Amino acid sequence: PDTNPYTSMAIIPPYCSRSGLLEVLLGTRDNSILVIDENEVEDQLLQDRISAPITKIAVAPKGEYLACYRRDGVLTVLSSAFTTKYVDVNTKSMNKPMDIVWCGDDAVVLQWKNAGIIMVGPDGDWINFPYTGMFHLVAEPDCCRVITSTTCDMLQRVPLSTEVIRRIGSTDPAALMYDAMGAFEEGDPKSDENIRSIAASHQLSEAISNCITAASTEYDIHRQQSLMKAAAYGKTFCSDADSSEFVLIAKKIRVLNEVRRPEVGMPLSIEQYDRLTPEVLIGRLTMRNLHYLSLKICDLLNVKNDRVLIHWAAEKVKKLASTTNATDEEICKVISDRLNNGNCNGYGYGDSKGNGKLKSSYDDNTILGLGNDSNNNSNNNSNNNSNNSSNSNNNNSNNSNNINN
């Protein structure tokens, strides 16, 4: 017989826990959960709400809810404070699922061998997604990834902004404006009357914002374009429309569409992109040697590109040193010419005298630092002083056009 008093375990990180400390949750054979931190062990005494030992525990991304799979095949969702039980769902399976993860804070996803996955919603409703072969679930703050040997699928709740626009018979201002844009493209004169009626009700700004938000959450480029068209159409009738949100989201969508391409392979949602920040995304692309794409994103978002150039130059030195018989001076000239032709403000690679030992630095696994040689300094300083203000906005664009992988 199994003598282990503990049946499951989960961890709540400090930024999600009630105490602000790292908390370990242990399911016990007597149908309860122990909460352990560095100060104490507390038994939650759940016997009156849990009728079987808990064999799997999953913590919601924000740490507010716990999904507990019991030995009797019932999925129970509790608050992390153990004060409220939200739902019991009988899966009618005596086999413990291979994995259980949260899909945002709204749904729980369970995986069984040879049975695909089941997603359970807030009210206990469920839906089955058939998957064959081996796959892996990855919980994200706003979705759940299903990674197979050939694909990466994302399960996500339909955003509210998309729901109010796409819902059949919706009378939301954003839905009416979207329909008005469609009528306008078809040459229907009633489109003008419809859009002006929304403006008269002082709901046009809200409708524009909802269309922009819905476009940012879409993955299909055609739907993105149609929603952004609707927002642009509404802006022409809104005297106090602020274009900054429109421009910002348009740039984010362009970046997301680029990194979602199969050859790049980073399918991010808009929320994941915002959490990651553009600088971190550019850093990850750079580490994959996607320097050209990194420079184009820097150019679009007006982000400093010096780290991209540093990494490109270091990789170029390694490649030339290992695949050619070029001398140190020849390698230095290749790097210097590329950077100088890209108006990189005199960035070059070498020591302070401009004649560093490139190959020996590579052999010592030392990445050469950025520096200006004495010969280039005098020329570049005069150019930079006179042209700094005009060149600052064009550096990234020129770099991306002159530096190739």
Side-chain angles (χ1 to χ4, degrees), residues 77-140:
V77 178
L78 302 167
S79 65
S80 59
F82 301 98
T83 57
T84 306
K85 181 166 74 170
Y86 294 100
V87 67
D88 277 335
V89 179
N90 189 353
T91 65
K92 300 180 181 179
S93 172
M94 294 297 104
N95 296 323
K96 184 173 71 172
M98 296 176 61
D99 201 3
I100 172 172
V101 301
W102 280 86
C103 181
D105 283 302
D106 304 302
V108 181
V109 179
L110 301 98
Q111 173 189 359
W112 277 276
K113 186 176 181 179
N114 301 324
I117 62 177
I118 291 178
M119 176 183 285
V120 180
D123 299 321
D125 298 327
W126 59 272
I127 184 172
N128 175 250
F129 294 92
Y131 278 88
T132 58
M134 296 298 295
F135 59 93
H136 181 63
L137 301 180
V138 179
E140 297 280 3

Side-chain angles (χ1 to χ4, degrees), residues 58-80:
V59 182
K62 294 180 181 178
E64 297 178 0
Y65 310 108
L66 302 177
C68 305
Y69 188 84
R70 296 164 15 188
R71 188 169 290 172
D72 58 359
V74 174
L75 174 69
T76 299
V77 178
L78 302 167
S79 65
S80 59

Side-chain angles (χ1 to χ4, degrees), residues 117-297:
I117 62 177
I118 291 178
M119 176 183 285
V120 180
D123 299 321
D125 298 327
W126 59 272
I127 184 172
N128 175 250
F129 294 92
Y131 278 88
T132 58
M134 296 298 295
F135 59 93
H136 181 63
L137 301 180
V138 179
E140 297 280 3
D142 62 334
C143 69
C144 171
R145 295 183 189 271
V146 184
I147 301 176
T148 71
S149 59
T150 57
T151 63
C152 175
D153 298 334
M154 297 174 69
L155 299 178
Q156 185 178 31
R157 180 174 180 172
V158 176
L160 181 60
S161 57
T162 300
E163 182 182 348
V164 298
I165 294 173
R166 298 288 184 178
R167 187 173 58 232
I168 297 176
S170 175
T171 58
D172 188 88
L176 297 177
M177 186 178 72
Y178 184 82
D179 292 339
M181 187 273 296
F184 173 77
E185 290 187 331
E186 294 174 1
D188 189 343
K190 288 186 177 180
S191 62
D192 184 73
E193 178 184 343
N194 294 339
I195 193 70
R196 291 187 185 278
S197 67
I198 302 173
S201 63
H202 305 290
Q203 295 179 307
L204 195 53
S205 295
E206 177 187 350
I208 294 170
S209 180
N210 280 342
C211 281
I212 294 173
T213 302
S216 70
T217 61
E218 286 286 353
Y219 294 85
D220 182 80
I221 294 178
H222 176 72
R223 287 198 291 267
Q224 291 171 355
Q225 292 173 340
S226 63
L227 288 164
M228 292 298 278
K229 275 185 183 179
Y233 177 64
K235 284 172 69 227
T236 61
F237 295 88
C238 186
S239 57
D240 60 344
D242 183 7
S243 298
S244 59
E245 181 186 11
F246 184 92
V247 174
L248 176 63
I249 295 299
K251 289 181 177 181
K252 288 183 178 181
I253 290 174
R254 288 184 62 186
V255 172
L256 288 171
N257 287 341
E258 283 298 313
V259 300
R260 287 169 182 166
R261 291 186 295 117
E263 51 267 38
V264 178
M266 295 182 68
L268 298 174
S269 68
I270 186 73
E271 182 177 339
Q272 293 166 13
Y273 170 82
D274 289 336
R275 285 171 175 263
L276 197 63
T277 72
E279 290 78 10
V280 174
L281 175 61
I282 291 168
R284 293 187 179 182
L285 293 172
T286 301
M287 294 304 294
R288 294 186 180 191
N289 290 334
L290 297 172
H291 302 109
Y292 182 74
L293 177 58
S294 299
L295 288 171
K296 297 298 286 184
I297 294 176

Side-chain angles (χ1 to χ4, degrees), residues 13 16 18 31 68 74 122 138 156 183 203 212 231 241 261 283 305 309 347 355 392 402 405:
C16 292
R18 292 174 295 159
N31 309 344
C68 305
V74 174
V138 179
Q156 185 178 31
Q203 295 179 307
I212 294 173
R261 291 186 295 117
N305 62 10
L309 296 174
Y347 286 150
N355 58 358
S392 60
N402 286 280
N405 292 329

